[in-house]
Amino acid sequence: MQPIQNGPTTTGEDLLRPPENRDYTKHRQRQASPARKLGRTRRQKDRRDFKEDENPEEKARRHKEQELKPLYKELLYTIAHKLGKPASGEVYSDTQLHRYIREGFSMTEAEDISLKEKVKTTEPPVYCLMATVKEAKGILGKDISGFSDPYCLLTILEDEKASRTRRSRPKPHKSIVKDAVSDEEIHQTDIKKQTINPIWNQTFVLEFEDTAGASFHLEMWDKDEEVSLAHKLEEFRTNFHGLKRMIKDAKKDKGEDDFLGIVVLKLQDLHCTEDNWYALEPRTETYPDRGKCHLQLKFIHKERDGTLSAGRSAYVNYCGILQQFVHSHISKQQGNAPWKGELCGEGQTLLELYATQNDLSPFLQDLAKWVAYSKLYQSLEVDSSVLFQQLTSIEYHWHQQELPYQQKQELGDSLHGFLQYGLCLVSKYRDIFPPTQNATRRLHTLLRVLVQICKTRAFQKLNPAQFDLHNEVSEAVEAGTQEWFAIKKGLHQPMTKDLSETLSALSMLIGEVQEDITHNKDVWNSVFSSVVQLDVFTIIYLKLDSLLAGEVKDTLSLLEGQMEQKLANGLFPIYLSLQAIHKDKAYLQKRGKKLQLIDFHEDFRDALPYWLNTAFSTTEDRVERAVQVDQLVPLQTGPVPIKHSSSAVDLVACIQPICKLWEQLSWPDPEEAFMLMVKLTEDVCKIVVTYCRMLKVRVRELSENSDHGSAINMLCVVVNDLEHLRSVLTRLPVQLNWAGLQERTHHVIGESQFHNTLPSQVQHTQGVLNREIRSAVETLGKQLNTDIETYVRSMSTRRRIPSKSTEDAVVPLMRYLEKELQYMNENLVQENFNSLLTPLWTNSVKILYQVATQHQQQEGLVVFCRRLQYTLQCLEQCFHADGNGLPMDTLHNDDYKTLKAHLTLNSLSSQQLIEKYMERKVWEQKVFSGEKYGAVTLLASYRRSDQRLRVEVLNAANLLPMDSNGSSDPFVQLCLEPRHVFAEVELRSTVIKSCDLNPLFDESFEFLVSLEQCQSPGACLVVTVLDHDTLRVDDFEGEAFLALKAIPGIGGGGEGSAETQTDASPAQIRLPLIHPKGCDESLLKLLESRKGEKDVQAFVKKRRQREKQSQEGIQ
């Protein structure tokens, strides 16, 4: 049911225009509309219907008289004749509502009283209840078929009529409506045939005088019509269960309808609008469930006084009231947050009352809100989500209700106008929606509103022309980007034609562009992509690339032939900004179009040498200043010391900008990039060498007036500085990313050329550093070596040997080393300390060896060597320092091994030397292979029970012919060695076998010796085979050495073992005969040097005799 609009309908634009001097414009101002210049605050559109020079006060007065007072009277009339409760649930008194509208319309007390008097003189409206019977469900089936033919009767009864009707009835009756009022006051729906779920969707307007004591009545009846007997019999035949129903029908009056239920609602309990399901109640009969009915109820006015607002339609008035309430609400709102679309309770109640009284449909209400809010959005801070909600409601209502023509036109114009306005905002999104979380959220909502507008069927119907939002937004962004660039260019125009100022202006412009590209990439692009699927970053990047390329080309063309250091310095920030912009091309989605800034570096080629020179000279100056103020003291002491000085740290900081320059330039041309790297590496190496030279000069200056200790301390710091610099230089290839450069240039620079150029520069500089470090370390070590030699020689002086023990003699040297090495460890970094320890250890070993070999006298030699051996052990522990010093591999070098072997032998007694000699002979016997000189076979065992060693000489074989007849007269001597162990054991010999090279002896010998003697070091059985000569000394056939531990019964377990319980079985042993070698043996020489021991000299003489008789080495 469409409402009837009274009077001509207008767009309401004049009505909605507030005066310029309203207070709310001070509270909620937005930025200027797109039609205005960028950067100004957006104000209300200046819709001037009068002369430009009109008095603002007069204009405001006329606005109140013509626009606000009619609306004010409408609201007073609404309050005076309000019907129903508000939907919000909170009920406001008339006084509260009057106070609210008076504040909202800024009416004075006199104006309020005057308008109230006028409203009192107006004609009251006709009160009506608009009732829409939608449908019913689950009603009773009164017919034989189980269905009913339902219809409804509607009316409004006052309590007096209802009670009078009940008193006038002679007996209880189901019907109230039919008997209470005349037929003219009863409204009847259509009859729905054969259903228990009827659908009507019929609307009726019921007039009443007052809500007090009045009730809305709806009775539902089943229509019964006269039918033939044949038809009833047919129903009975097909539906036996209808017999009871049929009998009941026979009792009632002919053609009487059946009662289905009733709904009674008191008007004073109803809200302005109701939309509910109501249960059908019984009158006299009670059924468990009579079903329910769906009703929509609304209180409206008919014949409302038309003099209140000069004949304007209710829709236009509603728009004006709504906008005035919103303005008032926003002006009172605290803070800067945009309005979220919610009014206070009084405002919502008044809007609801006015809309229902004038029968404004929800569609028209939402339309009015959209029109009002969309206009407010252009002047005040209104949240875009409010618009989105209204669009959703309009889309819902579009197919539910048909709009009048003028409202359709208004909706179409509003949607299209807001689209254009939104696109204007989008074109200036940089300024209106800055890259903050709150602003981007508003941009996101605005774009959603634009998308929703294009999706609504209302827009598609009312704007049949094709409208591609994606293209429109793209064009708006591109146009806005060009306008933004032009504005920024104008802001950064140079004031003069000076080239430096021109470059500065260009640098600031490029900085603005770089920042804008970053914001689009990181912030705005995600907003546009998610809502309108538009890659805004690509659009603005391509546009700014084109605009910026032209600007850069025009500016740099002015520098041709005029390049100098000052201009080159001004170009460097421009290059860096363009470099950053160029790197952002990686985020482009479409790469079809060639970028105009792709080869921008070519325009800066002439400035490149100036940039390198600036970096080198600046770094060199900083290094020189750093050395001049350096006092060559450790930078930090304590638990975590920093042992180099301040200049070393400053040097690293000074070199870092050169490395950063390479990263900043990122020169695209591979061949030129390689040459650039060569130059940068060369500059770094030059600075390092210069630093070494300046540091040497500085340490000389500071050492001139310093004591010896301070000079040593400064020298330690210098060594640490050089070592720190060497580590920095080692990391240079990584810092400059040589590997990445080699990969980039492999197609133009060969691998050999690459390695012969860059690494050679660093290696040469490292060589210089290494030489300087070695020189400084050697200077430190010279004094230490001299002192160590002095202590060693003093410790080993012959006259002091008996006066001091070995431990006491070493103490002075170890105290000195502990003190000096601790000092060096505290003042040198670990690398330099280790480099000092290595030569110091080597020299110490050489000093000990020199001292040990310079004394040839035998008196006190053993004690002397033992003292040196102990000294060597102490030095080894000192330099190793439990793993914190030199590693064992470094300590145990060849010189150390030679010295240790020498001292070990010379520290042994003569008996120990003989034992070692016999052990060596046993080892030679074991490793000797073949029977070159023959062999001897023995059968040997040891009986522990009686401590007897039994040796049976079985035979000899393959002996050498020693006589002229080609034969020999052999015999075997058995001797137990060493003699100092077996001093009481005599030499044993077999019988002589004449002329026999393979003699058979079969002779047994027993030696009474203890097990302890047999198990002593070097204990062995020496078997000597001789050729008997009568007139001359017996000839030497050969000898063999058998370790006694190898004889059964000797090498077994201890007491309690099997061998102690029973004597071991003899073992047959075949021993090859050997001859001693003619070379000089160290053990014999050492024994030979001990002239004072007769037994030793006899042993040496015997062994020397055997060496003379030996045929080893004779061809």
Side-chain angles (χ1 to χ4, degrees), residues 801-897:
I801 289 178
S803 62
K804 280 190 176 183
S805 65
T806 300
E807 293 79 2
D808 293 339
V810 178
V811 168
L813 172 62
M814 300 313 300
R815 284 179 178 173
Y816 170 79
L817 281 178
E818 182 180 356
K819 176 183 176 181
E820 294 299 326
L821 292 181
Q822 180 180 359
Y823 176 81
M824 295 298 175
N825 187 35
E826 291 175 353
N827 290 275
L828 289 176
V829 296
Q830 191 64 39
E831 294 81 358
N832 292 332
F833 181 67
N834 291 339
S835 64
L836 175 65
L837 286 180
T838 301
L840 196 62
W841 166 255
T842 303
N843 290 330
S844 299
V845 172
K846 289 180 180 179
I847 291 170
L848 287 177
Y849 187 76
Q850 291 173 0
V851 173
T853 55
Q854 283 177 357
H855 300 279
Q856 300 298 330
Q857 296 82 3
Q858 293 304 308
E859 183 182 357
L861 179 62
V862 174
V863 177
F864 172 65
C865 290
R866 287 177 178 174
R867 181 171 291 181
L868 292 182
Q869 187 179 23
Y870 179 74
T871 303
L872 180 63
Q873 293 174 357
C874 293
L875 289 176
E876 182 180 354
Q877 294 176 0
C878 177
F879 280 86
H880 183 59
D882 296 329
N884 297 318
L886 294 178
M888 285 298 183
D889 293 341
T890 303
L891 293 172
H892 295 170
N893 53 24
D894 293 338
D895 292 341
Y896 168 84
K897 293 176 182 178

Side-chain angles (χ1 to χ4, degrees), residues 345-523:
E346 295 92 334
Q348 293 178 355
T349 299
L350 287 168
L351 287 173
E352 181 184 4
L353 290 173
Y354 186 83
T356 54
Q357 290 176 11
N358 290 275
D359 192 20
L360 289 179
S361 66
F363 194 0
L364 286 176
Q365 295 179 48
D366 288 332
L367 174 60
K369 291 178 181 178
W370 161 257
V371 173
Y373 296 168
S374 62
K375 290 178 180 178
L376 286 171
Y377 184 82
Q378 302 179 34
S379 59
L380 301 177
E381 288 288 353
V382 177
D383 196 287
S384 304
S385 60
V386 178
L387 304 178
F388 191 79
Q389 295 170 2
Q390 300 308 317
L391 283 174
T392 305
S393 299
I394 289 174
E395 178 69 6
Y396 171 77
H397 291 301
W398 180 254
H399 290 290
Q400 306 295 325
Q401 180 180 351
E402 184 72 18
L403 280 177
Y405 174 78
Q406 290 182 343
Q407 272 70 46
K408 282 185 178 181
Q409 291 299 111
E410 183 179 11
L411 176 59
D413 294 342
S414 176
L415 293 175
H416 188 271
F418 189 83
L419 265 179
Q420 297 302 321
Y421 176 75
L423 291 174
C424 289
L425 295 183
V426 168
S427 68
K428 302 183 186 303
Y429 68 92
R430 293 172 174 86
D431 300 281
I432 299 176
F433 305 102
T436 62
Q437 183 177 4
N438 185 44
T440 51
R441 184 165 56 246
R442 290 191 291 111
L443 174 61
H444 185 274
T445 309
L446 173 62
L447 292 175
R448 285 184 62 200
V449 170
L450 299 182
V451 171
Q452 185 65 21
I453 288 176
C454 295
K455 286 183 177 180
T456 55
R457 299 179 185 178
F459 177 78
Q460 296 170 2
K461 181 71 174 177
L462 300 175
N463 295 273
Q466 292 295 328
F467 188 91
D468 191 336
L469 181 63
H470 186 277
N471 292 339
E472 293 289 338
V473 173
S474 177
E475 292 175 1
V477 168
E478 187 170 357
T481 300
Q482 184 159 359
E483 181 183 355
W484 175 86
F485 184 84
I487 293 173
K488 293 299 181 182
K489 179 181 176 182
L491 291 175
H492 298 299
Q493 281 292 334
M495 301 300 293
T496 65
K497 293 184 178 181
D498 182 66
L499 290 178
S500 298
E501 189 173 346
T502 302
L503 292 180
S504 177
L506 178 61
S507 178
M508 289 187 288
L509 175 61
I510 295 176
E512 296 267 14
V513 172
Q514 180 184 357
E515 184 181 11
D516 183 69
I517 289 176
T518 301
H519 288 158
N520 275 280
K521 172 172 63 72
D522 298 337
V523 181

Side-chain angles (χ1 to χ4, degrees), residues 644 717-730 769-770 773 777 829-833 835:
H644 46 264
V717 173
V718 169
V719 174
N720 295 335
D721 289 346
L722 297 179
E723 182 62 36
H724 181 68
L725 189 56
R726 182 171 63 176
S727 65
V728 172
L729 201 60
T730 304
L769 286 176
N770 291 335
I773 291 173
V777 170
V829 296
Q830 191 64 39
E831 294 81 358
N832 292 332
F833 181 67
S835 64

Side-chain angles (χ1 to χ4, degrees), residues 122-286:
T122 58
E123 291 294 329
V126 176
Y127 298 152
C128 300
L129 177 67
M130 179 182 290
T132 300
V133 183
K134 302 292 290 184
E135 59 181 323
K137 288 183 179 180
I139 65 175
L140 298 177
K142 291 290 187 175
D143 295 341
I144 296 176
S145 61
F147 295 99
S148 295
D149 302 324
Y151 66 92
C152 298
L153 299 177
L154 297 84
T155 191
I156 292 179
L157 294 178
E158 297 179 359
D159 291 345
E160 295 180 359
K161 294 181 179 180
S163 60
R164 186 170 59 249
T165 302
R166 286 192 294 269
R167 288 195 302 269
S168 63
R169 290 199 189 108
K171 62 177 180 179
H173 197 271
K174 299 176 183 178
S175 175
I176 294 179
V177 173
K178 291 182 179 180
D179 300 335
V181 295
S182 62
D183 293 341
E184 291 80 7
E185 298 179 29
I186 298 175
H187 302 268
Q188 179 177 333
T189 65
D190 297 336
I191 300 172
K192 300 298 179 180
K193 296 292 186 178
Q194 294 298 295
T195 179
I196 58 174
N197 298 306
I199 298 176
W200 286 285
N201 282 324
Q202 289 182 265
T203 301
F204 307 92
V205 177
L206 291 73
E207 298 181 359
F208 61 93
E209 294 181 359
D210 192 6
T211 57
S215 301
F216 166 76
H217 287 253
L218 178 144
E219 292 181 354
M220 189 177 297
W221 295 83
D222 171 40
K223 185 66 175 177
D224 281 342
E225 299 179 352
E226 295 184 11
V227 295
S228 63
L229 180 60
H231 179 73
K232 287 189 177 183
L233 290 175
E234 179 63 22
E235 287 183 351
F236 176 72
R237 187 182 67 83
T238 57
N239 187 2
F240 180 76
H241 295 287
L243 178 60
K244 182 178 179 182
R245 174 75 258 175
M246 193 168 157
I247 296 172
K248 190 174 181 180
D249 286 346
K251 293 180 179 179
K252 69 179 182 179
D253 296 338
K254 190 173 185 180
E256 183 180 353
D257 296 339
D258 293 319
F259 178 76
L260 296 178
I262 188 172
V263 175
V264 179
L265 302 173
K266 292 184 177 181
L267 296 187
Q268 61 185 8
D269 295 336
L270 296 179
H271 292 86
C272 298
T273 57
E274 296 275 359
D275 188 350
N276 293 311
W277 286 86
Y278 299 95
L280 292 170
E281 301 292 339
R283 277 295 184 183
T284 58
E285 297 180 6
T286 302

